[in-house]
Amino acid sequence: MDLDEVADRLYALPPPEFTAAREAEARAAKEAGDVPLARDIAKLRKPTVSAWAVNKIARRHPEDLAELLDVGERLRAAWQEQDADALAELTQRRGAVTGRLSRLIRQAGDLSPAAAAEVDQTLDAAVVDAGAAGQVRRGHLVKPLSYSGFAPAPILRERPTRRAKPTPEYEAAEAREREEAEARKAREREAAEAAHREWREALEAAQQEYDERAERVAELERKLTKARKKLDDARNRLEVARREERHARRRLDR
């Protein structure tokens, strides 16, 4: 047994099952005498829901994922070669494959809007960044990925002069670039809005829980104050009773 084998098993599990399974794997490695492996297993981090969803696709639909990553590799090569025609064609394929994968991921689990947006963000990162592609292919993600660099897009030929009429190819490439920029911006906005909604709901729930518990604590403190007063009264009565009992015993012994 090695760390990769254990990680493969753990990152195939739903997040709620991860921690207990990790502890069991670490305990088994330690009992087998492999203390370094046990320590490494204990360091494995629990994945977010969006990371788990992408990991699941890497296992259940490797062909679809491989197709997307192949498109990404070819897109990066076309960008390096400044091949506008290849970029335009591959960009269309990228949209189709990404859409299909996103649907598969959503069908495989009940994702919140924020988690679904993080899935799309991770797939976009895997397309434009070779390092991200390797992480997604491996299936051991613990958090969503993002890419802040320049994403490959159709290259516009030199813009026609003001007098010259733009060519259909130029107009089509320009339109695709605008659409991609708008789509990226829309996804980022959707992710931000979804995250804000979820945290706002979490804040409201946390505030309500805090208020309820604070009121409960205040009530318990009031009861505790009364109970302490009663305890003090009982202690006083106990001291009086002990004193009087001693006096009575002394009189009886005379």
Side-chain angles (χ1 to χ4, degrees), residues 71-88:
V71 169
E73 184 177 353
R74 294 173 62 187
L75 263 172
R76 296 190 296 274
W79 177 253
Q80 291 295 326
E81 296 169 3
Q82 298 288 284
D83 189 339
D85 293 334
L87 277 168

Side-chain angles (χ1 to χ4, degrees), residues 177-245:
E177 187 174 26
R178 284 197 304 270
E179 290 174 359
E180 289 173 24
E182 291 172 358
R184 285 195 297 272
K185 187 175 181 180
R187 286 196 297 271
E188 291 170 0
R189 177 70 180 177
E190 179 184 358
E193 290 177 346
H196 179 257
R197 283 196 301 271
E198 289 192 3
W199 280 113
R200 184 181 60 200
E201 292 171 0
L203 173 61
E204 292 173 353
Q207 184 66 56
Q208 180 179 355
E209 181 184 9
Y210 174 83
D211 292 342
E212 291 174 353
R213 291 186 182 276
E215 176 58 31
R216 179 60 177 162
V217 168
E219 180 183 353
L220 291 173
E221 287 177 343
R222 289 192 295 269
K223 291 182 177 179
L224 179 60
T225 299
K226 293 180 181 179
R228 282 175 174 166
K229 178 63 169 58
K230 291 180 179 180
L231 178 62
D232 290 340
D233 293 342
R235 184 181 297 112
N236 291 336
R237 289 194 295 272
L238 176 62
E239 291 300 325
V240 170
R242 284 174 174 169
R243 185 177 63 249
E244 294 302 322
E245 188 274 338

Side-chain angles (χ1 to χ4, degrees), residues 76 125-126 128-137 145:
R76 296 190 296 274
V128 300
D129 182 73
Q135 293 181 60
V136 168
R137 183 183 289 109
L145 303 178

Side-chain angles (χ1 to χ4, degrees), residues 138-182:
R138 192 181 181 196
H140 294 178
L141 292 181
V142 298
K143 63 181 180 179
L145 303 178
S146 62
Y147 183 75
S148 58
F150 186 79
I155 304 167
L156 299 181
R157 296 180 175 84
E158 184 179 355
R159 187 176 184 85
T161 63
R162 190 171 296 177
R163 292 182 179 179
K165 182 180 179 180
T167 64
E169 292 81 4
Y170 175 86
E171 291 180 336
E174 190 175 52
R176 282 193 292 270
E177 187 174 26
R178 284 197 304 270
E179 290 174 359
E180 289 173 24
E182 291 172 358

Side-chain angles (χ1 to χ4, degrees), residues 18-78:
F18 182 88
T19 302
R22 180 187 61 194
E23 292 175 355
E25 292 280 6
R27 186 165 53 250
K30 187 174 181 180
E31 291 173 353
D34 197 338
V35 176
L37 176 60
R39 284 198 296 263
D40 289 339
I41 292 173
K43 294 177 183 177
L44 293 175
R45 294 169 55 195
K46 177 181 175 180
T48 65
V49 172
S50 58
W52 165 73
V54 177
N55 290 339
K56 185 160 58 172
I57 284 296
R59 290 171 173 78
R60 296 189 179 181
H61 301 279
E63 298 83 4
D64 295 285
L65 180 60
E67 182 180 359
L68 177 66
L69 300 182
D70 177 66
V71 169
E73 184 177 353
R74 294 173 62 187
L75 263 172
R76 296 190 296 274

